[in-house]
Amino acid sequence: MLPEQRAVMDLLEDGFGRLKVLVVGDVMLDRYIFGEVDRISPEAPVPVLRHAQRYARPGGAANVAMNLAGLGCQAFLCGFWGSDPDRQELDAILQTNHIDTLGMVTSTLPTISKTRIVGRTQQLLRLDIESRDAYPQIECDHLRERAVSLVSKMHAVILSDYAKGALTQPLCEAVIRAARDLNIPILADPKTPDFSKYSGATTVCPNLSELSVATGVPAHHTPELLAAARVLLLEHGFDFLTVTMSEKGITVLQPEGSYHSPARAREVYDVSGAGDTVIATLAASLAGGLKIVTAVELANVAAGIVVGKVGTIPITANELVTLMTPSTGVMSTDKILDTERLIHRVSEWRASGETIVFTNGCFDLLHVGHITLLEDCRRFGSKLVLGLNADASVCRLKGPTRPIVGERERARVMAALASVDAVVLFAEDTPLELIQALQPDVLVKGGDYTIDTVVGHEVVLAQGGRVEIVPTVEGFSTTNIVRKLTASHAQEAIQ
């Protein structure tokens, strides 16, 4: 479980949406052509790719912006592109993803593009289109002015350096100075061996190879490499240094110590774009007020997700929410939600392909019948939402002596169960309004019901869901427990 779990969930579910993050750097268009290879060309000893599909995605600094947008942030992009069809294609994708491009400068040089030829999951060839010429000075001055003018409106700034010429020394110095003056976190992803270019940044995020080039220490000599990195940290005035170490995870170096977060990847298919995901998640987390350790842990989780995909596919908030809310992985209090937050969480789960199951009840004194019902519910889907009658509702339904256990305590007990993913209280006599709001895929009721007597069945069936009736466990009910306790107490009084 991550540190500051509740704060992380708050950011993922609605907090990132209020944050503005600026990405300044080398903007590109990434194309992918996929197919199958089953023979060698008779014309030359090269594989023949039978085309299956193709697509284009924003690359470089634009991919960082895509990751920010995926997290829910307001992403702003500042860099160069040309006057060509690639620019039009890239701009259309960015606009579709609500990324602000007012910081972009149109150059006399072409839009940078990379085309990857992929056989199944294996990259066979990459074709790059870019000029070897430097950007004209007037264009560099224009970019610097635009970037600096945007800093004051932001909550964080990222310098995404792919060594293509957008991030000149004067631009970096001006943007870092502007961000520091306003106490705004500024993060840099380096592609040059001279880290002085980023002096004064909050953090620089090199991988082991980049750090090796910058220090002259071999990448496989990890202790010596990290010791040399600490020298860079102090020399250039970084608050901390974030070293991505591939399958080893992420190490954070600070003047007073270090912290290591082990890798979270389940299965690695493609590491391209993982660094973009790390710096985007880190920047958004720091902008949202998370501590450094929490920010790094969340970035590590995000990286573990994207390396399981093929190509530069950005992270999304719903993927993180889904991964971070398994039944046994969060505190019980983090599962108790109001209706508004629950609707948001359910939408995140559904976007990740989860099947939402809903059941409801008073659950006054927890017994084996309740446990059996909830375990049965989990058989019908991957996420179980429990609607819990509030105290006033229970009193109207069961009489003035009920509930025996108050709503807050009942909610806490139910949320502690591994089979339950979320608990929400409702004050009405029936959960109809809640069902209408959540639109669950499966509605489950225990007892002697028929489908047409279950409250909310019309709502669920109308949107293509289903209703399941599970039998109750004979002899177990809260009412029976209360009767036994009352009879026992009366017997003791007689004696």
mmCIF file with all atom_site columns, all heavy atoms in Angstrom, residues 468-493:
data_model
loop_
_atom_site.group_PDB
_atom_site.id
_atom_site.type_symbol
_atom_site.label_atom_id
_atom_site.label_alt_id
_atom_site.label_comp_id
_atom_site.label_asym_id
_atom_site.label_entity_id
_atom_site.label_seq_id
_atom_site.pdbx_PDB_ins_code
_atom_site.Cartn_x
_atom_site.Cartn_y
_atom_site.Cartn_z
_atom_site.occupancy
_atom_site.B_iso_or_equiv
_atom_site.pdbx_formal_charge
_atom_site.auth_seq_id
_atom_site.auth_comp_id
_atom_site.auth_asym_id
_atom_site.auth_atom_id
_atom_site.pdbx_PDB_model_num
ATOM 1   N N   . GLU A 1 468 ? -29.213 -11.213 -10.280 1.00 0.00 ? 468 GLU A N   1
ATOM 2   C CA  . GLU A 1 468 ? -28.957 -12.546 -9.731  1.00 0.00 ? 468 GLU A CA  1
ATOM 3   C C   . GLU A 1 468 ? -29.595 -12.657 -8.345  1.00 0.00 ? 468 GLU A C   1
ATOM 4   O O   . GLU A 1 468 ? -29.477 -11.740 -7.522  1.00 0.00 ? 468 GLU A O   1
ATOM 5   C CB  . GLU A 1 468 ? -27.450 -12.812 -9.612  1.00 0.00 ? 468 GLU A CB  1
ATOM 6   C CG  . GLU A 1 468 ? -26.678 -12.761 -10.926 1.00 0.00 ? 468 GLU A CG  1
ATOM 7   C CD  . GLU A 1 468 ? -26.909 -13.996 -11.783 1.00 0.00 ? 468 GLU A CD  1
ATOM 8   O OE1 . GLU A 1 468 ? -27.526 -14.959 -11.273 1.00 0.00 ? 468 GLU A OE1 1
ATOM 9   O OE2 . GLU A 1 468 ? -26.463 -14.008 -12.951 1.00 0.00 ? 468 GLU A OE2 1
ATOM 10  N N   . ILE A 1 469 ? -30.272 -13.782 -8.098  1.00 0.00 ? 469 ILE A N   1
ATOM 11  C CA  . ILE A 1 469 ? -30.865 -14.071 -6.787  1.00 0.00 ? 469 ILE A CA  1
ATOM 12  C C   . ILE A 1 469 ? -30.073 -15.210 -6.152  1.00 0.00 ? 469 ILE A C   1
ATOM 13  O O   . ILE A 1 469 ? -29.899 -16.266 -6.777  1.00 0.00 ? 469 ILE A O   1
ATOM 14  C CB  . ILE A 1 469 ? -32.345 -14.487 -6.908  1.00 0.00 ? 469 ILE A CB  1
ATOM 15  C CG1 . ILE A 1 469 ? -33.133 -13.476 -7.762  1.00 0.00 ? 469 ILE A CG1 1
ATOM 16  C CG2 . ILE A 1 469 ? -32.958 -14.647 -5.523  1.00 0.00 ? 469 ILE A CG2 1
ATOM 17  C CD1 . ILE A 1 469 ? -33.205 -12.100 -7.179  1.00 0.00 ? 469 ILE A CD1 1
ATOM 18  N N   . VAL A 1 470 ? -29.571 -14.983 -4.946  1.00 0.00 ? 470 VAL A N   1
ATOM 19  C CA  . VAL A 1 470 ? -28.837 -16.040 -4.250  1.00 0.00 ? 470 VAL A CA  1
ATOM 20  C C   . VAL A 1 470 ? -29.620 -16.437 -2.997  1.00 0.00 ? 470 VAL A C   1
ATOM 21  O O   . VAL A 1 470 ? -30.222 -15.587 -2.338  1.00 0.00 ? 470 VAL A O   1
ATOM 22  C CB  . VAL A 1 470 ? -27.408 -15.597 -3.871  1.00 0.00 ? 470 VAL A CB  1
ATOM 23  C CG1 . VAL A 1 470 ? -26.599 -15.310 -5.123  1.00 0.00 ? 470 VAL A CG1 1
ATOM 24  C CG2 . VAL A 1 470 ? -27.426 -14.381 -2.969  1.00 0.00 ? 470 VAL A CG2 1
ATOM 25  N N   . PRO A 1 471 ? -29.632 -17.713 -2.654  1.00 0.00 ? 471 PRO A N   1
ATOM 26  C CA  . PRO A 1 471 ? -30.408 -18.157 -1.488  1.00 0.00 ? 471 PRO A CA  1
ATOM 27  C C   . PRO A 1 471 ? -29.759 -17.710 -0.188  1.00 0.00 ? 471 PRO A C   1
ATOM 28  O O   . PRO A 1 471 ? -28.537 -17.544 -0.103  1.00 0.00 ? 471 PRO A O   1
ATOM 29  C CB  . PRO A 1 471 ? -30.377 -19.686 -1.621  1.00 0.00 ? 471 PRO A CB  1
ATOM 30  C CG  . PRO A 1 471 ? -29.138 -19.981 -2.397  1.00 0.00 ? 471 PRO A CG  1
ATOM 31  C CD  . PRO A 1 471 ? -28.973 -18.845 -3.362  1.00 0.00 ? 471 PRO A CD  1
ATOM 32  N N   . THR A 1 472 ? -30.591 -17.493 0.810   1.00 0.00 ? 472 THR A N   1
ATOM 33  C CA  . THR A 1 472 ? -30.068 -17.154 2.136   1.00 0.00 ? 472 THR A CA  1
ATOM 34  C C   . THR A 1 472 ? -29.652 -18.430 2.864   1.00 0.00 ? 472 THR A C   1
ATOM 35  O O   . THR A 1 472 ? -30.072 -19.537 2.518   1.00 0.00 ? 472 THR A O   1
ATOM 36  C CB  . THR A 1 472 ? -31.136 -16.432 2.970   1.00 0.00 ? 472 THR A CB  1
ATOM 37  O OG1 . THR A 1 472 ? -32.296 -17.270 3.052   1.00 0.00 ? 472 THR A OG1 1
ATOM 38  C CG2 . THR A 1 472 ? -31.510 -15.106 2.345   1.00 0.00 ? 472 THR A CG2 1
ATOM 39  N N   . VAL A 1 473 ? -28.794 -18.261 3.861   1.00 0.00 ? 473 VAL A N   1
ATOM 40  C CA  . VAL A 1 473 ? -28.372 -19.389 4.688   1.00 0.00 ? 473 VAL A CA  1
ATOM 41  C C   . VAL A 1 473 ? -29.419 -19.578 5.784   1.00 0.00 ? 473 VAL A C   1
ATOM 42  O O   . VAL A 1 473 ? -29.661 -18.669 6.588   1.00 0.00 ? 473 VAL A O   1
ATOM 43  C CB  . VAL A 1 473 ? -26.988 -19.139 5.306   1.00 0.00 ? 473 VAL A CB  1
ATOM 44  C CG1 . VAL A 1 473 ? -26.578 -20.319 6.185   1.00 0.00 ? 473 VAL A CG1 1
ATOM 45  C CG2 . VAL A 1 473 ? -25.954 -18.905 4.204   1.00 0.00 ? 473 VAL A CG2 1
ATOM 46  N N   . GLU A 1 474 ? -30.070 -20.724 5.792   1.00 0.00 ? 474 GLU A N   1
ATOM 47  C CA  . GLU A 1 474 ? -31.157 -20.976 6.734   1.00 0.00 ? 474 GLU A CA  1
ATOM 48  C C   . GLU A 1 474 ? -30.678 -20.851 8.183   1.00 0.00 ? 474 GLU A C   1
ATOM 49  O O   . GLU A 1 474 ? -29.612 -21.342 8.549   1.00 0.00 ? 474 GLU A O   1
ATOM 50  C CB  . GLU A 1 474 ? -31.742 -22.373 6.509   1.00 0.00 ? 474 GLU A CB  1
ATOM 51  C CG  . GLU A 1 474 ? -32.484 -22.534 5.187   1.00 0.00 ? 474 GLU A CG  1
ATOM 52  C CD  . GLU A 1 474 ? -33.705 -21.647 5.111   1.00 0.00 ? 474 GLU A CD  1
ATOM 53  O OE1 . GLU A 1 474 ? -34.317 -21.379 6.161   1.00 0.00 ? 474 GLU A OE1 1
ATOM 54  O OE2 . GLU A 1 474 ? -34.053 -21.206 3.994   1.00 0.00 ? 474 GLU A OE2 1
ATOM 55  N N   . GLY A 1 475 ? -31.520 -20.181 8.998   1.00 0.00 ? 475 GLY A N   1
ATOM 56  C CA  . GLY A 1 475 ? -31.247 -20.113 10.430  1.00 0.00 ? 475 GLY A CA  1
ATOM 57  C C   . GLY A 1 475 ? -30.370 -18.955 10.854  1.00 0.00 ? 475 GLY A C   1
ATOM 58  O O   . GLY A 1 475 ? -30.133 -18.760 12.054  1.00 0.00 ? 475 GLY A O   1
ATOM 59  N N   . PHE A 1 476 ? -29.871 -18.175 9.873   1.00 0.00 ? 476 PHE A N   1
ATOM 60  C CA  . PHE A 1 476 ? -28.980 -17.066 10.232  1.00 0.00 ? 476 PHE A CA  1
ATOM 61  C C   . PHE A 1 476 ? -29.604 -15.754 9.800   1.00 0.00 ? 476 PHE A C   1
ATOM 62  O O   . PHE A 1 476 ? -29.850 -15.523 8.611   1.00 0.00 ? 476 PHE A O   1
ATOM 63  C CB  . PHE A 1 476 ? -27.610 -17.227 9.567   1.00 0.00 ? 476 PHE A CB  1
ATOM 64  C CG  . PHE A 1 476 ? -26.802 -18.357 10.132  1.00 0.00 ? 476 PHE A CG  1
ATOM 65  C CD1 . PHE A 1 476 ? -26.827 -19.605 9.516   1.00 0.00 ? 476 PHE A CD1 1
ATOM 66  C CD2 . PHE A 1 476 ? -26.054 -18.195 11.282  1.00 0.00 ? 476 PHE A CD2 1
ATOM 67  C CE1 . PHE A 1 476 ? -26.103 -20.654 10.033  1.00 0.00 ? 476 PHE A CE1 1
ATOM 68  C CE2 . PHE A 1 476 ? -25.324 -19.239 11.803  1.00 0.00 ? 476 PHE A CE2 1
ATOM 69  C CZ  . PHE A 1 476 ? -25.343 -20.477 11.191  1.00 0.00 ? 476 PHE A CZ  1
ATOM 70  N N   . SER A 1 477 ? -29.878 -14.905 10.768  1.00 0.00 ? 477 SER A N   1
ATOM 71  C CA  . SER A 1 477 ? -30.369 -13.555 10.497  1.00 0.00 ? 477 SER A CA  1
ATOM 72  C C   . SER A 1 477 ? -30.118 -12.714 11.738  1.00 0.00 ? 477 SER A C   1
ATOM 73  O O   . SER A 1 477 ? -29.970 -13.240 12.848  1.00 0.00 ? 477 SER A O   1
ATOM 74  C CB  . SER A 1 477 ? -31.861 -13.553 10.160  1.00 0.00 ? 477 SER A CB  1
ATOM 75  O OG  . SER A 1 477 ? -32.628 -13.858 11.310  1.00 0.00 ? 477 SER A OG  1
ATOM 76  N N   . THR A 1 478 ? -30.069 -11.403 11.558  1.00 0.00 ? 478 THR A N   1
ATOM 77  C CA  . THR A 1 478 ? -29.884 -10.504 12.702  1.00 0.00 ? 478 THR A CA  1
ATOM 78  C C   . THR A 1 478 ? -31.051 -10.631 13.670  1.00 0.00 ? 478 THR A C   1
ATOM 79  O O   . THR A 1 478 ? -30.879 -10.616 14.896  1.00 0.00 ? 478 THR A O   1
ATOM 80  C CB  . THR A 1 478 ? -29.756 -9.051  12.211  1.00 0.00 ? 478 THR A CB  1
ATOM 81  O OG1 . THR A 1 478 ? -28.636 -8.959  11.329  1.00 0.00 ? 478 THR A OG1 1
ATOM 82  C CG2 . THR A 1 478 ? -29.555 -8.104  13.378  1.00 0.00 ? 478 THR A CG2 1
ATOM 83  N N   . THR A 1 479 ? -32.245 -10.784 13.106  1.00 0.00 ? 479 THR A N   1
ATOM 84  C CA  . THR A 1 479 ? -33.437 -10.923 13.959  1.00 0.00 ? 479 THR A CA  1
ATOM 85  C C   . THR A 1 479 ? -33.320 -12.138 14.854  1.00 0.00 ? 479 THR A C   1
ATOM 86  O O   . THR A 1 479 ? -33.636 -12.080 16.061  1.00 0.00 ? 479 THR A O   1
ATOM 87  C CB  . THR A 1 479 ? -34.703 -11.034 13.089  1.00 0.00 ? 479 THR A CB  1
ATOM 88  O OG1 . THR A 1 479 ? -34.805 -9.865  12.260  1.00 0.00 ? 479 THR A OG1 1
ATOM 89  C CG2 . THR A 1 479 ? -35.940 -11.163 13.951  1.00 0.00 ? 479 THR A CG2 1
ATOM 90  N N   . ASN A 1 480 ? -32.867 -13.267 14.317  1.00 0.00 ? 480 ASN A N   1
ATOM 91  C CA  . ASN A 1 480 ? -32.699 -14.481 15.129  1.00 0.00 ? 480 ASN A CA  1
ATOM 92  C C   . ASN A 1 480 ? -31.648 -14.287 16.210  1.00 0.00 ? 480 ASN A C   1
ATOM 93  O O   . ASN A 1 480 ? -31.800 -14.779 17.340  1.00 0.00 ? 480 ASN A O   1
ATOM 94  C CB  . ASN A 1 480 ? -32.300 -15.659 14.240  1.00 0.00 ? 480 ASN A CB  1
ATOM 95  C CG  . ASN A 1 480 ? -33.471 -16.191 13.428  1.00 0.00 ? 480 ASN A CG  1
ATOM 96  O OD1 . ASN A 1 480 ? -34.628 -15.918 13.763  1.00 0.00 ? 480 ASN A OD1 1
ATOM 97  N ND2 . ASN A 1 480 ? -33.182 -16.950 12.373  1.00 0.00 ? 480 ASN A ND2 1
ATOM 98  N N   . ILE A 1 481 ? -30.576 -13.574 15.861  1.00 0.00 ? 481 ILE A N   1
ATOM 99  C CA  . ILE A 1 481 ? -29.524 -13.320 16.860  1.00 0.00 ? 481 ILE A CA  1
ATOM 100 C C   . ILE A 1 481 ? -30.081 -12.481 18.001  1.00 0.00 ? 481 ILE A C   1
ATOM 101 O O   . ILE A 1 481 ? -29.836 -12.753 19.183  1.00 0.00 ? 481 ILE A O   1
ATOM 102 C CB  . ILE A 1 481 ? -28.314 -12.615 16.208  1.00 0.00 ? 481 ILE A CB  1
ATOM 103 C CG1 . ILE A 1 481 ? -27.628 -13.553 15.212  1.00 0.00 ? 481 ILE A CG1 1
ATOM 104 C CG2 . ILE A 1 481 ? -27.315 -12.162 17.270  1.00 0.00 ? 481 ILE A CG2 1
ATOM 105 C CD1 . ILE A 1 481 ? -26.532 -12.896 14.404  1.00 0.00 ? 481 ILE A CD1 1
ATOM 106 N N   . VAL A 1 482 ? -30.864 -11.448 17.657  1.00 0.00 ? 482 VAL A N   1
ATOM 107 C CA  . VAL A 1 482 ? -31.456 -10.593 18.683  1.00 0.00 ? 482 VAL A CA  1
ATOM 108 C C   . VAL A 1 482 ? -32.410 -11.395 19.559  1.00 0.00 ? 482 VAL A C   1
ATOM 109 O O   . VAL A 1 482 ? -32.424 -11.249 20.791  1.00 0.00 ? 482 VAL A O   1
ATOM 110 C CB  . VAL A 1 482 ? -32.194 -9.406  18.016  1.00 0.00 ? 482 VAL A CB  1
ATOM 111 C CG1 . VAL A 1 482 ? -32.992 -8.626  19.068  1.00 0.00 ? 482 VAL A CG1 1
ATOM 112 C CG2 . VAL A 1 482 ? -31.200 -8.497  17.319  1.00 0.00 ? 482 VAL A CG2 1
ATOM 113 N N   . ARG A 1 483 ? -33.214 -12.279 18.967  1.00 0.00 ? 483 ARG A N   1
ATOM 114 C CA  . ARG A 1 483 ? -34.144 -13.114 19.741  1.00 0.00 ? 483 ARG A CA  1
ATOM 115 C C   . ARG A 1 483 ? -33.395 -14.003 20.728  1.00 0.00 ? 483 ARG A C   1
ATOM 116 O O   . ARG A 1 483 ? -33.796 -14.167 21.887  1.00 0.00 ? 483 ARG A O   1
ATOM 117 C CB  . ARG A 1 483 ? -34.983 -13.970 18.799  1.00 0.00 ? 483 ARG A CB  1
ATOM 118 C CG  . ARG A 1 483 ? -36.068 -13.206 18.061  1.00 0.00 ? 483 ARG A CG  1
ATOM 119 C CD  . ARG A 1 483 ? -36.722 -14.083 17.019  1.00 0.00 ? 483 ARG A CD  1
ATOM 120 N NE  . ARG A 1 483 ? -37.773 -13.374 16.286  1.00 0.00 ? 483 ARG A NE  1
ATOM 121 C CZ  . ARG A 1 483 ? -38.315 -13.811 15.169  1.00 0.00 ? 483 ARG A CZ  1
ATOM 122 N NH1 . ARG A 1 483 ? -37.906 -14.979 14.639  1.00 0.00 ? 483 ARG A NH1 1
ATOM 123 N NH2 . ARG A 1 483 ? -39.246 -13.107 14.559  1.00 0.00 ? 483 ARG A NH2 1
ATOM 124 N N   . LYS A 1 484 ? -32.302 -14.604 20.260  1.00 0.00 ? 484 LYS A N   1
ATOM 125 C CA  . LYS A 1 484 ? -31.519 -15.475 21.145  1.00 0.00 ? 484 LYS A CA  1
ATOM 126 C C   . LYS A 1 484 ? -30.923 -14.689 22.301  1.00 0.00 ? 484 LYS A C   1
ATOM 127 O O   . LYS A 1 484 ? -30.924 -15.140 23.451  1.00 0.00 ? 484 LYS A O   1
ATOM 128 C CB  . LYS A 1 484 ? -30.402 -16.157 20.358  1.00 0.00 ? 484 LYS A CB  1
ATOM 129 C CG  . LYS A 1 484 ? -30.891 -17.226 19.388  1.00 0.00 ? 484 LYS A CG  1
ATOM 130 C CD  . LYS A 1 484 ? -29.719 -17.862 18.637  1.00 0.00 ? 484 LYS A CD  1
ATOM 131 C CE  . LYS A 1 484 ? -30.209 -18.933 17.670  1.00 0.00 ? 484 LYS A CE  1
ATOM 132 N NZ  . LYS A 1 484 ? -29.075 -19.551 16.912  1.00 0.00 ? 484 LYS A NZ  1
ATOM 133 N N   . LEU A 1 485 ? -30.409 -13.494 22.000  1.00 0.00 ? 485 LEU A N   1
ATOM 134 C CA  . LEU A 1 485 ? -29.824 -12.676 23.066  1.00 0.00 ? 485 LEU A CA  1
ATOM 135 C C   . LEU A 1 485 ? -30.894 -12.252 24.063  1.00 0.00 ? 485 LEU A C   1
ATOM 136 O O   . LEU A 1 485 ? -30.668 -12.240 25.279  1.00 0.00 ? 485 LEU A O   1
ATOM 137 C CB  . LEU A 1 485 ? -29.159 -11.442 22.457  1.00 0.00 ? 485 LEU A CB  1
ATOM 138 C CG  . LEU A 1 485 ? -27.871 -11.699 21.656  1.00 0.00 ? 485 LEU A CG  1
ATOM 139 C CD1 . LEU A 1 485 ? -27.422 -10.408 20.962  1.00 0.00 ? 485 LEU A CD1 1
ATOM 140 C CD2 . LEU A 1 485 ? -26.767 -12.221 22.566  1.00 0.00 ? 485 LEU A CD2 1
ATOM 141 N N   . THR A 1 486 ? -32.072 -11.891 23.536  1.00 0.00 ? 486 THR A N   1
ATOM 142 C CA  . THR A 1 486 ? -33.171 -11.456 24.413  1.00 0.00 ? 486 THR A CA  1
ATOM 143 C C   . THR A 1 486 ? -33.645 -12.619 25.297  1.00 0.00 ? 486 THR A C   1
ATOM 144 O O   . THR A 1 486 ? -33.876 -12.457 26.514  1.00 0.00 ? 486 THR A O   1
ATOM 145 C CB  . THR A 1 486 ? -34.356 -10.930 23.577  1.00 0.00 ? 486 THR A CB  1
ATOM 146 O OG1 . THR A 1 486 ? -33.902 -9.870  22.749  1.00 0.00 ? 486 THR A OG1 1
ATOM 147 C CG2 . THR A 1 486 ? -35.473 -10.436 24.474  1.00 0.00 ? 486 THR A CG2 1
ATOM 148 N N   . ALA A 1 487 ? -33.791 -13.801 24.698  1.00 0.00 ? 487 ALA A N   1
ATOM 149 C CA  . ALA A 1 487 ? -34.223 -14.996 25.460  1.00 0.00 ? 487 ALA A CA  1
ATOM 150 C C   . ALA A 1 487 ? -33.195 -15.349 26.516  1.00 0.00 ? 487 ALA A C   1
ATOM 151 O O   . ALA A 1 487 ? -33.539 -15.700 27.655  1.00 0.00 ? 487 ALA A O   1
ATOM 152 C CB  . ALA A 1 487 ? -34.432 -16.154 24.499  1.00 0.00 ? 487 ALA A CB  1
ATOM 153 N N   . SER A 1 488 ? -31.913 -15.254 26.161  1.00 0.00 ? 488 SER A N   1
ATOM 154 C CA  . SER A 1 488 ? -30.849 -15.575 27.126  1.00 0.00 ? 488 SER A CA  1
ATOM 155 C C   . SER A 1 488 ? -30.868 -14.608 28.286  1.00 0.00 ? 488 SER A C   1
ATOM 156 O O   . SER A 1 488 ? -30.728 -14.990 29.455  1.00 0.00 ? 488 SER A O   1
ATOM 157 C CB  . SER A 1 488 ? -29.491 -15.553 26.421  1.00 0.00 ? 488 SER A CB  1
ATOM 158 O OG  . SER A 1 488 ? -28.451 -15.756 27.320  1.00 0.00 ? 488 SER A OG  1
ATOM 159 N N   . HIS A 1 489 ? -31.068 -13.329 27.962  1.00 0.00 ? 489 HIS A N   1
ATOM 160 C CA  . HIS A 1 489 ? -31.097 -12.301 29.008  1.00 0.00 ? 489 HIS A CA  1
ATOM 161 C C   . HIS A 1 489 ? -32.306 -12.519 29.925  1.00 0.00 ? 489 HIS A C   1
ATOM 162 O O   . HIS A 1 489 ? -32.205 -12.400 31.161  1.00 0.00 ? 489 HIS A O   1
ATOM 163 C CB  . HIS A 1 489 ? -31.183 -10.910 28.386  1.00 0.00 ? 489 HIS A CB  1
ATOM 164 C CG  . HIS A 1 489 ? -31.226 -9.796  29.369  1.00 0.00 ? 489 HIS A CG  1
ATOM 165 N ND1 . HIS A 1 489 ? -30.127 -9.436  30.121  1.00 0.00 ? 489 HIS A ND1 1
ATOM 166 C CD2 . HIS A 1 489 ? -32.263 -8.975  29.753  1.00 0.00 ? 489 HIS A CD2 1
ATOM 167 C CE1 . HIS A 1 489 ? -30.460 -8.425  30.916  1.00 0.00 ? 489 HIS A CE1 1
ATOM 168 N NE2 . HIS A 1 489 ? -31.753 -8.140  30.714  1.00 0.00 ? 489 HIS A NE2 1
ATOM 169 N N   . ALA A 1 490 ? -33.444 -12.890 29.357  1.00 0.00 ? 490 ALA A N   1
ATOM 170 C CA  . ALA A 1 490 ? -34.656 -13.132 30.168  1.00 0.00 ? 490 ALA A CA  1
ATOM 171 C C   . ALA A 1 490 ? -34.457 -14.344 31.066  1.00 0.00 ? 490 ALA A C   1
ATOM 172 O O   . ALA A 1 490 ? -34.877 -14.347 32.230  1.00 0.00 ? 490 ALA A O   1
ATOM 173 C CB  . ALA A 1 490 ? -35.855 -13.358 29.237  1.00 0.00 ? 490 ALA A CB  1
ATOM 174 N N   . GLN A 1 491 ? -33.812 -15.388 30.548  1.00 0.00 ? 491 GLN A N   1
ATOM 175 C CA  . GLN A 1 491 ? -33.552 -16.594 31.332  1.00 0.00 ? 491 GLN A CA  1
ATOM 176 C C   . GLN A 1 491 ? -32.652 -16.286 32.526  1.00 0.00 ? 491 GLN A C   1
ATOM 177 O O   . GLN A 1 491 ? -32.875 -16.755 33.643  1.00 0.00 ? 491 GLN A O   1
ATOM 178 C CB  . GLN A 1 491 ? -32.920 -17.675 30.447  1.00 0.00 ? 491 GLN A CB  1
ATOM 179 C CG  . GLN A 1 491 ? -32.726 -19.007 31.144  1.00 0.00 ? 491 GLN A CG  1
ATOM 180 C CD  . GLN A 1 491 ? -34.026 -19.679 31.514  1.00 0.00 ? 491 GLN A CD  1
ATOM 181 O OE1 . GLN A 1 491 ? -35.025 -19.518 30.817  1.00 0.00 ? 491 GLN A OE1 1
ATOM 182 N NE2 . GLN A 1 491 ? -34.042 -20.408 32.626  1.00 0.00 ? 491 GLN A NE2 1
ATOM 183 N N   . GLU A 1 492 ? -31.644 -15.431 32.282  1.00 0.00 ? 492 GLU A N   1
ATOM 184 C CA  . GLU A 1 492 ? -30.728 -15.068 33.360  1.00 0.00 ? 492 GLU A CA  1
ATOM 185 C C   . GLU A 1 492 ? -31.457 -14.246 34.445  1.00 0.00 ? 492 GLU A C   1
ATOM 186 O O   . GLU A 1 492 ? -31.188 -14.392 35.637  1.00 0.00 ? 492 GLU A O   1
ATOM 187 C CB  . GLU A 1 492 ? -29.552 -14.255 32.793  1.00 0.00 ? 492 GLU A CB  1
ATOM 188 C CG  . GLU A 1 492 ? -28.599 -15.076 31.974  1.00 0.00 ? 492 GLU A CG  1
ATOM 189 C CD  . GLU A 1 492 ? -27.489 -14.231 31.367  1.00 0.00 ? 492 GLU A CD  1
ATOM 190 O OE1 . GLU A 1 492 ? -27.501 -13.003 31.603  1.00 0.00 ? 492 GLU A OE1 1
ATOM 191 O OE2 . GLU A 1 492 ? -26.610 -14.792 30.660  1.00 0.00 ? 492 GLU A OE2 1
ATOM 192 N N   . ALA A 1 493 ? -32.403 -13.424 33.992  1.00 0.00 ? 493 ALA A N   1
ATOM 193 C CA  . ALA A 1 493 ? -33.158 -12.602 34.947  1.00 0.00 ? 493 ALA A CA  1
ATOM 194 C C   . ALA A 1 493 ? -34.018 -13.466 35.842  1.00 0.00 ? 493 ALA A C   1
ATOM 195 O O   . ALA A 1 493 ? -34.176 -13.201 37.044  1.00 0.00 ? 493 ALA A O   1
ATOM 196 C CB  . ALA A 1 493 ? -34.013 -11.575 34.183  1.00 0.00 ? 493 ALA A CB  1
#
